[in-house]
Amino acid sequence: MSSSRSGETKRVRLSPDERRLQLITLGAEMLAERALEDISVEDIAKEAGISRGLLFHYFASKNEFHEAIARHVSAEFLAATAPDRSLGLFDMLRDSVERYVDYVEQNRAAYHAILRGPSSYNPGMVTFVNESRSAIAELVLCEVPIPADDPDRPRLALAVRGWIAFVEETILTWMSEKSVPREQLIELLVESLPALALSPALAAALRG
């Protein structure tokens, strides 16, 4: 059943899980060219070679589909910036921040759409973004040499969440303005964490 002459996409039989992943992956790829809220169900269905109605067999709504795309991108992001535990604490932080900036530069449309686009106000998207921030915070806190029962721990956890918001806003601004070289941006983001934490032990550990 060749469709090459008509220009239509040949339908490929996939399992439900494979089809769902295919649709999400196509949506994630489209984020390189358009905002999340501009990814249409029609375009995705056409690209996948399925009907528009079949897409809603896998996702209850357009918002749910957009949230699935965002979660997929987040999983890619967390994998791309995972700590390299072969490094010392400070070098580990710098390495992760550098890869964070690299990832955002390569996926700027997706990053901006998820944090600042119209879809970012969707309740499901807000929940997803908060879950992502919590995951990043947990990655940072797991590497900090301060016991869970230490009196400084709650303050540190709060500081790390604040630092993540600072990183997001600073990178968004830097991408639009490029007011300082990339290396200065990295230095700012790396040095700001021990400064915000207000913990002598953490600052000493991070700075070696």
Side-chain angles (χ1 to χ4, degrees):
M1 191 174 91
S2 174
S3 58
S4 57
R5 287 188 303 171
S6 65
E8 296 177 357
T9 303
K10 183 179 180 180
R11 181 173 299 200
V12 178
R13 187 175 297 279
L14 300 174
S15 71
D17 287 345
E18 289 172 333
R19 180 67 74 187
R20 179 180 169 85
L21 179 59
Q22 179 203 34
L23 297 172
I24 293 171
T25 302
L26 287 172
E29 290 172 354
M30 285 188 180
L31 279 175
E33 302 172 351
R34 65 188 79 176
L36 182 62
E37 59 274 5
D38 293 333
I39 295 177
S40 74
V41 169
E42 290 77 10
D43 288 347
I44 293 290
K46 181 179 179 181
E47 189 73 19
I50 64 173
S51 69
R52 182 182 187 278
L54 184 57
L55 186 143
F56 287 111
H57 175 73
Y58 300 98
F59 306 97
S61 66
K62 185 176 180 179
N63 280 341
E64 182 180 298
F65 179 49
H66 284 173
E67 288 167 21
I69 294 171
R71 289 183 184 279
H72 179 82
V73 171
S74 176
E76 284 189 334
F77 166 74
L78 290 174
T81 59
D84 181 352
R85 293 183 173 87
S86 69
L87 301 173
L89 194 58
F90 183 79
D91 289 338
M92 187 191 306
L93 174 62
R94 175 181 290 279
D95 176 64
S96 288
V97 168
E98 287 178 345
R99 286 186 283 116
Y100 189 132
V101 174
D102 287 342
Y103 185 89
V104 172
E105 286 192 286
Q106 295 164 12
N107 301 272
R108 55 192 303 146
Y111 190 77
H112 187 275
I114 290 169
L115 292 179
R116 291 291 183 273
S119 295
S120 65
Y121 297 101
N122 176 275
M125 191 67 76
V126 171
T127 298
F128 148 73
V129 170
N130 283 332
E131 288 174 353
S132 297
R133 288 169 179 158
S134 294
I136 296 170
E138 189 60 30
L139 282 174
V140 174
L141 291 168
C142 282
E143 303 302 329
V144 174
I146 297 179
D149 59 352
D150 190 291
D152 272 349
R153 192 77 181 190
R155 184 177 64 181
L156 174 60
L158 185 61
V160 169
R161 284 302 296 259
W163 177 72
I164 292 168
F166 171 77
V167 169
E168 291 174 352
E169 185 62 36
T170 301
I171 291 178
L172 282 169
T173 302
W174 180 78
M175 284 197 303
S176 64
E177 299 177 0
K178 294 293 179 73
S179 54
V180 300
R182 180 180 181 280
E183 185 58 31
Q184 289 186 22
L185 170 70
I186 300 296
E187 290 291 337
L188 174 63
L189 298 178
V190 172
E191 291 291 340
S192 62
L193 179 55
L196 278 172
L198 300 176
S199 168
L202 175 61
L206 284 173
R207 292 184 173 128

